[in-house]
């Protein structure tokens, strides 16, 4: 079955009260619209037309861009997309059209399987029975004839109908082509695509799970959608073999990859681009983004692994350690209070407490290289660019600005001075505040 998809996404997002269009807002680590594009692309391949407003022209999309100059409703948006596809594709009238709304990120491919399984040329719509129908249009069926009544125009009797419109439809392009001229603005100066349903005979209604068809119009609905997506992400992670000790406090992303026996402790956040191999442990209050953690490594608690970082097998990053754009090879560890940025660290390296790689001079980033088997003492500062060879020992408190050859002890300290205090020294007359002085 040849199919094209129309995504209607030109709404003004006025109820969201945000500076950006709601389809750009992040949800589960990616723009809201991307979820809808995934579903549309599954059924229509490259033949996806996304209707946007002039204010959304800068929105990045992987679909044919169609601009609705003036917001005149879904019917007008549909007609504009129809004409665009008709001009672009000589076989368009032979194809089916899948219509989806751009603000329904919970939609999944399998939700549309019954609709797409209808015989070719059928006109089908997806319905749902939400607990609070609110502003959803009601699907009215009388003597086999189907129509959709917009909530604002529904009578009291019609408002009581539980079956609601999801905005998802499938139709033959040639079937609806003759009715396009009948899609005109109503008294409210808005043209509804739902008016098309009443004009077509033999409409098939398929009921889907209401949670998956929720539209995002308010901040509250956005939060609800994020919560539902997180439930899906957590369930997928557990099915892949991860252990989530407090799932409701663990936040994942749409592309999180976890292997068997990964353990995610309470209050952990995995932002986009995270891959965790077998047996990795992420301890509480740790944040990971765009990184690859290899098997049996331990992260946290209170660790921050940032973009471009690769941690080898059996590495250990401890509390209050930040790693950014760095590689640690197998068995290396930094357990306390350190910053490792733009660093290449070999295997079996120990990074002491308070160690800092000084990778930025105010103009450019430079690299720190530490050879395998080295030991960097506490409170050391490594000023990039610098290379420490293998099996190097850096004395605690050192500030290094020059390369260090293999098997060398490097020290950089001012001489210590011990000065005896006279009996009248102010240093001997400090108040003991622990005793209330």
């Amino acid at each position: 079955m040849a199919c094209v998809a129309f995504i209607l996404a030109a709404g003004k997002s006025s109820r969201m009260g945000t500076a950006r269009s709601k389809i750009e807002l992040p949800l589960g680590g990616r723009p809201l619209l991307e979820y809808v594009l995934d579903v549309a692309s599954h059924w229509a391949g490259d033949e996806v037309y996304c209707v946007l407003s002039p204010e959304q022209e800068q929105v990045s999309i992987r679909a044919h861009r169609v601009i609705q100059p003036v917001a005149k409703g879904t019917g007008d948006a549909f007609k504009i997309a129809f004409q665009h596809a008709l001009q672009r594709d000589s076989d368009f009238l032979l194809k089916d059209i899948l219509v989806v709304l751009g603000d329904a990120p919970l939609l999944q491919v399998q939700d549309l399987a019954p609709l797409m399984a209808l015989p070719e040329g059928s006109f089908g719509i997806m319905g749902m029975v939400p607990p609070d129908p609110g502003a959803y249009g009601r699907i009215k069926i009388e003597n086999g004839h189907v129509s959709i009544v917009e909530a604002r125009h529904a009578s009291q009797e019609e408002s009581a109908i539980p079956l609601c419109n999801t905005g998802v439809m499938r139709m033959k392009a040639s079937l609806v082509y003759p009715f396009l001229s009948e899609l005109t603005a109503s008294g409210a100066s808005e043209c509804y695509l739902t008016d098309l349903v009443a004009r077509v005979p033999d409409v098939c209604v398929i009921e889907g799970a209401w949670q998956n068809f929720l539209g995002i119009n308010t901040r509250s609905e956005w939060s609800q959608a994020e919560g539902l997506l997180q439930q899906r992400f957590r369930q997928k992670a557990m099915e892949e073999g991860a252990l989530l000790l407090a799932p409701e406090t663990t936040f994942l992303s749409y592309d999180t990859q976890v292997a068997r026996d990964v353990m995610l402790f309470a209050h952990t956040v995995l932002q986009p681009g995270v891959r965790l191999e077998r047996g990795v442990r992420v301890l509480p209050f740790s944040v990971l983004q765009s990184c690859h953690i290899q098997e049996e490594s331990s992260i946290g608690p209170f660790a921050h692994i940032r973009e471009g970082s690769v941690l080898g097998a059996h590495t250990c990053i401890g509390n209050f350690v930040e790693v950014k754009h760095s590689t640690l090879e197998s068995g290396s560890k930094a357990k306390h209070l350190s910053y490792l940025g733009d660093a290449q660290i070999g295997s079996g390296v120990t990074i002491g407490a308070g160690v800092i790689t000084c990778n930025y001079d105010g103009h450019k980033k430079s690299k720190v290289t530490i050879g395998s088997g080295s030991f960097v003492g506490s409170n050391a500062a490594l000023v990039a660019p610098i290379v420490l060879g293998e099996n190097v020992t850096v004395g605690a408190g050192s500030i290094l600005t020059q390369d260090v050859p293999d098997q060398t002890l490097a020290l950089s300290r001012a001489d210590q001075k011990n000065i005896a205090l006279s009996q009248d020294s102010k240093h001997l007359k400090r108040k003991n505040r622990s005793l209330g002085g």
Side-chain angles (χ1 to χ4, degrees):
M1 175 191 66
C3 178
V4 301
F6 292 172
I7 300 176
L8 309 184
K12 291 185 176 181
S13 309
S14 55
R15 281 183 282 174
M16 286 294 295
T18 56
R20 291 187 295 169
S21 170
K22 63 184 176 183
I23 62 173
E24 297 180 85
L25 294 178
L27 201 66
R30 68 198 302 214
L32 187 154
L33 181 63
E34 287 294 315
Y35 295 97
V36 184
L37 283 166
D38 281 349
V39 175
S41 298
H42 174 86
W43 296 109
D46 295 331
E47 294 301 306
V48 178
Y49 298 82
C50 188
V51 183
L52 302 171
S53 69
E55 293 78 16
Q56 298 168 318
E57 285 196 82
Q58 301 306 314
V59 175
S60 177
I61 59 170
R62 43 189 172 91
H64 300 293
R65 185 184 303 268
V66 181
I67 300 299
Q68 183 184 19
V70 180
K72 293 183 180 179
T74 54
D76 181 67
F78 177 84
K79 287 197 295 183
I80 292 173
F82 196 103
Q83 293 297 334
H84 190 92
L86 189 62
Q87 293 174 9
R88 183 183 176 277
D89 183 358
S90 59
D91 294 326
F92 171 62
L93 290 178
L94 303 177
K95 299 178 180 179
D96 276 28
I97 305 170
L98 170 65
V99 179
V100 294
L101 302 183
D103 65 351
L106 299 174
L107 193 63
Q108 299 180 97
V109 168
Q110 59 267 33
D111 294 324
L112 303 188
L115 181 70
M116 304 308 288
L118 291 174
E120 186 175 355
S122 299
F123 192 113
I125 63 176
M126 294 296 302
M128 63 175 177
V129 181
D132 180 12
Y136 289 105
R138 307 305 199 270
I139 299 177
K140 189 176 179 180
I141 305 175
E142 292 182 322
N143 300 321
H145 182 261
V146 179
S147 61
I148 298 177
V149 182
E150 295 296 329
R152 70 180 70 176
H153 303 310
S155 66
Q156 185 174 358
E157 181 181 355
E158 290 168 336
S159 296
I161 297 173
L163 188 61
C164 294
N165 176 38
T166 65
V168 177
M169 303 180 183
R170 176 200 153 191
M171 64 202 72
K172 189 77 171 181
S174 59
L175 175 66
V176 299
Y177 186 40
F179 301 107
L180 289 186
S181 60
E182 299 180 32
L183 284 178
T184 57
S186 68
S189 299
E190 189 168 350
C191 178
Y192 295 116
L193 177 58
T194 51
D195 290 345
L196 192 64
V197 176
R199 290 169 168 78
V200 177
D202 302 321
V203 175
C204 180
V205 180
I206 299 174
E207 184 179 336
W210 66 270
Q211 298 94 330
N212 297 348
F213 291 89
L214 289 178
I216 308 302
N217 294 300
T218 66
R219 294 168 188 256
S220 177
E221 290 169 345
W222 181 89
S223 296
Q224 183 182 12
E226 178 70 39
L228 291 169
L229 277 177
Q230 287 299 328
Q231 290 179 22
R232 290 181 186 175
F233 298 159
R234 294 162 186 154
Q235 185 61 36
K236 178 176 179 288
M238 289 187 283
E239 289 172 355
E240 291 173 348
L243 297 169
L244 276 63
L245 276 69
E248 68 282 1
T249 70
T250 298
F251 292 87
L252 311 178
S253 294
Y254 74 100
D255 62 349
T256 298
Q257 298 181 55
V258 293
R260 186 166 298 279
D261 296 331
V262 164
M263 293 185 68
L264 302 178
F265 285 69
H267 303 288
T268 50
V269 178
L270 274 57
Q271 295 176 349
V274 174
R275 178 185 171 194
L276 306 180
E277 293 189 9
R278 178 181 58 83
V280 168
R281 292 158 49 93
V282 182
L283 299 173
F285 299 101
S286 296
V287 178
L288 284 66
Q289 61 187 111
S290 298
C291 61
H292 177 193
I293 315 298
Q294 297 177 8
E295 61 184 31
E296 301 296 340
S297 293
S298 177
I299 309 297
F302 294 98
H304 189 186
I305 313 299
R306 294 175 56 193
E307 66 276 4
S309 295
V310 178
L311 306 187
H314 301 277
T315 54
C316 180
I317 299 297
N319 51 288
F320 303 104
V321 175
E322 180 179 350
V323 181
K324 180 255 179 187
H325 206 267
S326 296
T327 298
L328 279 74
E329 296 180 10
S330 60
S332 291
K333 55 188 176 181
K335 290 193 171 184
H336 322 279
L337 305 161
S338 294
Y339 170 69
L340 305 175
D342 296 289
Q344 177 70 44
I345 299 173
S347 60
V349 173
T350 297
I351 304 293
V355 171
I356 296 174
T357 59
C358 307
N359 58 319
Y360 184 52
D361 64 2
H363 300 281
K364 67 180 186 300
K365 301 289 181 70
S366 298
K367 192 170 184 177
V368 172
T369 300
I370 303 174
S372 296
S374 293
F375 179 96
V376 182
S378 296
N379 207 36
L382 309 178
V383 182
I386 190 171
V387 176
L388 309 187
E390 295 187 354
N391 298 306
V392 163
T393 297
V394 177
S398 295
I399 299 175
L400 301 187
T401 59
Q402 299 178 13
D403 293 351
V404 180
D406 295 348
Q407 302 181 25
T408 299
L409 169 64
L411 290 170
S412 174
R413 298 176 184 161
D415 291 338
Q416 180 174 324
K417 295 181 179 180
N418 295 334
I419 301 173
L421 298 176
S422 63
Q423 291 301 313
D424 60 350
S425 170
K426 65 179 181 180
H427 299 292
L428 296 178
K429 298 178 180 180
R430 289 191 297 268
K431 293 181 179 180
N432 189 337
R433 298 196 181 277
S434 64
L435 298 178

